[in-house]
């Protein structure tokens, strides 16, 4: 079988984007080191299968590595992707693929809306006038979104989506829609004039709500694309601090905060905080961390108090992960059946998007097979279950 020569500059560029030594790349794809060294000298030594494996690893078409020209990043990545990658280079191949999948998903949605003659606003925030303090801005945005005091995460998401923003929540199961559990990325936003995107890592509902509003702040206040690691949600400076203050005030207006008995809270052991705050967490759709962060920002508790809670939660998380790892090593890791597989597209893509896909299929704009593809490759019988469940809800 004939061997193929690649453009070594393109392979080197791919490795550099992931912070990877091209000389060690052979270990990642099981190609002999000598073969890869010869390939980097533009010699015809790779088989089709080997080139396909390289292309799959970098989420590229194999023809990408055959083009003689150097890479022009403006043609490879969107402005939005380059913006967040310039903030902090995205070295995780899985996260790069996730962001690329999200951007492709947006194009699919825009195409469906066009097929159904649904108008797409290119001025999704023109009716919003922001000025003054972050607290006042948050009040204005609460009114703009039409939020209630006891909104759950799904209510908050629906309110944001109705303003022309696409909200994606990553899946808890392994696959192209998952942000790796070990990845520190908590969320990101991609700032488009039409149908901007907010993507959220699957977490507790309270954490997801705070991430949603944090990313909304970047779109509304900073008008830019942002990629946020966990550290951004505890930042005390710059755009991240502004986004945290905005999110905190959106979810917990002053009237709500006054319901907490500060004397009682501060007399409790740190270990008892979550239990004391449970009713507030449930009613406001926030985490205990979000409540204490807000109290700290308002100088109602000290930074030492807030840090002590963070340290306790971090230790608690480590103990839980160690126990899960121990059970896994013992062969006791639980097998979680995907009983509600048909609802996963709703959880990931939102009701509005799912309704659009089903509407397009029922009006013969797309085939049943295409609808399945757009809904995370649901099997046909599972898609019918989704349809029935969607109609009944």
């Amino acid at each position: 079988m004939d061997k193929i020569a690649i453009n070594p500059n393109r392979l080197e560029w791919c490795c550099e984007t992931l912070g990877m030594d091209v000389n060690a790349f052979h270990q990642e794809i099981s190609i002999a080191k000598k073969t890869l060294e010869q390939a980097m000298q533009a010699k015809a030594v790779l088989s089709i299968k080997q080139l396909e494996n390289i292309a799959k690893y970098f989420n590229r078409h194999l023809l990408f590595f055959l083009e003689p020209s150097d890479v022009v990043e403006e043609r490879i990545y969107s402005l939005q992707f380059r913006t967040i990658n310039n903030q902090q280079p995205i070295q995780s191949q899985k996260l790069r693929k996730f962001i690329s999948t999200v951007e492709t998903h947006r194009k699919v949605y825009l195409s469906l809306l066009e097929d159904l003659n649904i108008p797409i606003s290119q001025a999704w925030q023109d009716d919003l006038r922001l000025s003054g303090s972050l607290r006042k801005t948050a009040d204005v945005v609460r009114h703009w979104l039409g939020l209630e005091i006891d909104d759950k995460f799904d209510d908050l998401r629906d309110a944001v989506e109705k303003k022309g923003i696409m909200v994606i929540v990553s899946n808890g199961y392994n696959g192209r829609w998952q942000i790796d559990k070990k990845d520190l990325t908590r969320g990101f936003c991609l700032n488009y004039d039409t149908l901007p995107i907010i993507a959220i890592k699957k977490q507790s509902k309270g954490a997801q709500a705070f991430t949603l509003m944090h990313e909304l702040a970047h779109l509304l206040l900073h008008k830019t694309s942002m990629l946020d690691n966990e550290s951004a949600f505890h930042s005390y400076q710059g755009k991240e601090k502004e986004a945290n203050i905005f999110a905190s005030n959106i979810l917990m207006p002053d009237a709500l905060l006054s319901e907490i008995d500060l004397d009682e809270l501060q007399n409790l052991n740190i270990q008892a905080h979550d239990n004391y705050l449970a009713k507030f967490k449930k009613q406001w759709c926030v985490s205990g961390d979000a409540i204490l962060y807000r109290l700290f920002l308002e100088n109602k508790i000290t930074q030492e108090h807030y840090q002590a809670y963070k340290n306790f939660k971090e230790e608690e998380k480590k103990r839980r992960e160690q126990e899960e790892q121990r059970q896994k090593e013992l062969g006791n890791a639980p097998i979680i059946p995907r009983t509600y597989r048909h609802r996963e597209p709703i959880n990931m893509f939102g009701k509005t998007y799912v309704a659009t896909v089903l509407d397009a299929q029922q009006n013969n704009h797309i085939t049943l097979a295409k609808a399945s593809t757009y809904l995370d490759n649901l099997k046909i019988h599972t898609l019918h279950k989704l349809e029935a469940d969607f109609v009944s809800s």
Side-chain angles (χ1 to χ4, degrees):
M1 183 179 293
D2 292 339
K3 299 294 185 177
I4 303 170
I6 63 170
N7 179 344
N9 292 336
R10 290 193 161 229
L11 178 54
E12 184 174 16
W13 177 84
C14 285
C15 288
E16 286 178 351
T17 60
L18 297 184
M20 180 187 299
D21 182 355
V22 70
N23 294 319
F25 177 60
H26 70 283
Q27 298 174 346
E28 298 288 332
I29 52 172
S30 300
I31 293 179
K33 183 177 182 180
K34 183 177 180 180
T35 300
L36 193 61
E37 288 174 347
Q38 291 176 330
M40 292 302 294
Q41 296 170 11
K43 293 182 179 180
V45 293
L46 295 174
S47 67
I48 286 288
K49 181 62 176 177
Q50 287 173 323
L51 182 54
E52 287 177 343
N53 289 340
I54 291 174
K56 183 178 180 180
Y57 184 89
F58 290 110
N59 199 30
R60 300 287 171 203
H61 192 281
L62 60 85
L63 294 178
F64 172 85
F65 296 95
L66 302 181
E67 293 185 22
S69 60
D70 289 337
V71 173
V72 179
E73 289 210 8
E74 287 76 5
R75 297 178 184 175
I76 301 297
Y77 294 119
S78 68
L79 171 62
Q80 289 74 18
F81 182 96
R82 298 198 309 274
T83 298
I84 61 178
N85 190 56
N86 287 338
Q87 297 164 15
Q88 46 186 324
I90 305 169
Q91 298 185 350
S92 166
Q93 174 66 359
K94 189 168 185 177
L95 182 57
R96 282 175 170 267
K97 288 182 179 179
F98 180 83
I99 297 171
S100 176
T101 300
V102 166
E103 291 192 301
T104 300
H105 191 68
R106 172 181 174 273
K107 293 177 182 177
V108 167
Y109 194 18
L110 287 171
S111 177
L112 288 173
L113 293 174
E114 184 177 352
D115 289 343
L116 293 170
N117 294 316
I118 297 176
I120 307 169
S121 173
Q122 294 190 356
W124 60 273
Q125 56 173 311
D126 274 7
D127 60 336
L128 184 61
R129 297 290 179 267
L130 300 179
S131 61
S133 67
L134 287 171
R135 180 181 278 105
K136 181 178 179 181
T137 296
D139 287 340
V140 171
V141 174
R142 276 190 65 88
H143 179 74
W144 179 66
L145 292 172
L147 300 184
E148 302 293 338
I149 294 300
D150 58 351
D151 279 335
K152 304 298 183 284
F153 173 74
D154 289 343
D155 300 321
L156 299 171
R157 178 183 191 166
D158 288 344
V160 172
E161 289 181 336
K162 286 176 181 177
K163 291 300 181 180
I165 302 171
M166 193 170 192
V167 180
I168 303 289
V169 178
S170 72
N171 202 340
Y173 295 94
N174 190 32
R176 67 183 187 132
W177 288 106
Q178 185 192 56
I179 296 177
D180 194 279
K181 294 177 181 178
K182 295 181 180 180
D183 195 309
L184 295 178
T185 299
R186 184 162 151 178
F188 61 84
C189 61
L190 301 175
N191 185 38
Y192 294 93
D193 292 336
T194 303
L195 200 65
I197 299 170
I198 291 175
I200 303 168
K201 185 177 184 179
K202 183 174 177 61
Q203 308 157 87
S204 68
K205 295 296 185 181
Q208 286 180 182
F210 198 91
T211 305
L212 174 64
M213 293 305 163
H214 181 102
E215 301 304 332
L216 180 62
H218 288 318
L219 293 175
L220 292 177
L221 305 181
H222 308 135
K223 304 185 188 306
T224 188
S225 303
M226 295 287 284
L227 176 71
D228 290 308
N229 288 339
E230 185 64 40
S231 61
F233 293 84
H234 306 101
S235 177
Y236 305 132
Q237 59 185 354
K239 292 179 179 178
E240 301 299 5
K241 179 181 179 180
E242 291 180 351
N244 286 331
I245 293 174
F246 173 88
S248 181
N249 279 273
I250 278 275
L251 297 171
M252 295 171 284
D254 290 341
L256 297 185
L257 219 59
S258 63
E259 296 179 22
I260 298 176
D261 186 326
L262 293 175
D263 290 334
E264 185 175 357
L265 175 68
Q266 294 183 88
N267 285 326
L268 293 173
N269 292 327
I270 289 296
Q271 293 88 337
H273 278 36
D274 280 327
N275 185 53
Y276 175 77
L277 296 172
K279 64 178 181 180
F280 303 112
K281 290 158 61 177
K282 183 177 180 180
Q283 182 182 3
W284 306 340
C285 191
V286 294
S287 64
D289 185 285
I291 294 174
L292 292 174
Y293 180 80
R294 176 69 191 284
L295 292 173
F296 160 61
L297 289 177
E298 298 292 331
N299 294 317
K300 297 183 184 297
I301 63 173
T302 65
Q303 183 172 353
E304 289 75 20
H305 187 155
Y306 174 53
Q307 188 63 49
Y309 176 82
K310 282 175 57 182
N311 293 343
F312 165 69
K313 296 299 289 185
E314 187 61 33
E315 288 300 317
E316 190 179 60
K317 178 182 177 182
K318 288 179 181 178
R319 287 194 297 269
R320 185 171 61 251
E321 290 175 346
Q322 288 171 355
E323 177 60 22
E324 290 174 355
Q325 181 62 32
R326 190 177 75 85
Q327 293 298 328
K328 184 177 180 180
E329 291 171 353
L330 293 173
N332 297 330
I335 299 175
I336 304 174
R338 300 179 78 169
T339 308
Y340 299 100
R341 171 69 176 114
H342 65 289
R343 293 195 61 81
E344 288 178 19
I346 298 176
N347 297 332
M348 292 188 292
F349 310 137
K351 294 178 182 177
T352 305
Y353 171 82
V354 172
T356 302
V357 174
L358 296 178
D359 192 16
Q361 188 271 316
Q362 291 164 4
N363 286 282
N364 299 316
H365 290 292
I366 59 175
T367 64
L368 191 60
K370 185 66 73 174
S372 169
T373 301
Y374 292 164
L375 294 171
D376 191 34
N377 295 313
L378 286 182
K379 294 181 179 179
I380 299 303
H381 74 275
T382 308
L383 193 152
H384 288 318
K385 193 174 181 180
L386 169 64
E387 288 179 305
D389 195 56
F390 204 82
V391 170
S392 64
S393 64

